[in-house]
Amino acid sequence: MNTIIGITADKIMEDGFYYEKVNESNLNAVFQHGGVPVILPITEDEKTIEKYLSFVDGIYFTGGGDINPLLFGEEPIRQIGAIDYDRDAFEVKLYKHAAAKNMPMLGICRGQQIMNIAAGGTLYQDIYTQRQNTNGHSPKFTFGGYEHHTVNLLKDSMIFNILKTDKIKTNSFHHQAVKDVADDYIATAFTEDGIIECIESVELDFALGIQWHPEIMFERYPVFCNIFISFIEASKTYSLKKN
């Protein structure tokens, strides 16, 4: 039986038209670990979202631009970047509908942040201006498949059980980050300067948010394959229970 993974997309404008796109590395990460990726077009129609969830077995929230601060009760600061309001609204609704079904979810970078917001948490709009002693998290002119900084994992956590280590080096491409963790989540991985690098649900069977980008690291560093294997296995289990 195929395990269908719904993947969220970016929306961009080119030549006077809107396009919805996904970095191919996200598709490859699902394909190569036993899943079938399906891109979910942006919509605010809740009946359509329910139709999406009727045929997928897991939701993969991909990376992308900044998140609207109004969603977590703040006015935007000067350092806020490009926002796709339609994508934000869609992904919040998608999360809530999927969570109500206890459907497995994986969030990468922005994906972790939107999961935290949808569950009631907050973000740093810009880690360099809103917190002290922040190290570099958004290097310039570098390919994202290489190690950039160290992440410390809490033992007895889901991410520790997946990666089988309490310390790992990851890439990093972000200026926003989880600030206050949503009530139903716990933070389970941190950089040396205290940025939250992983959140996981204490209520849902599999809801994992990761700040780095394992989808562009797993081919060079196979330990990151375990993230996608675990997610797709959880989605397969969900599918069997559903059917």
Side-chain angles (χ1 to χ4, degrees), residues 124 126-135 137 192-195:
Y124 289 108
D126 180 73
I127 55 177
Y128 302 115
T129 57
Q130 292 187 315
R131 63 188 308 276
Q132 296 181 337
N133 303 316
T134 299
N135 294 337
H137 290 264
E192 295 290 333
D193 58 342
I195 292 291

Side-chain angles (χ1 to χ4, degrees), residues 57-81:
D57 306 309
I59 298 294
Y60 179 176
F61 293 95
T62 61
D66 286 358
I67 295 171
N68 181 6
L70 293 178
L71 292 176
F72 49 96
E74 294 184 8
E75 294 294 319
I77 64 173
R78 288 185 297 121
Q79 291 77 13
I80 203 76

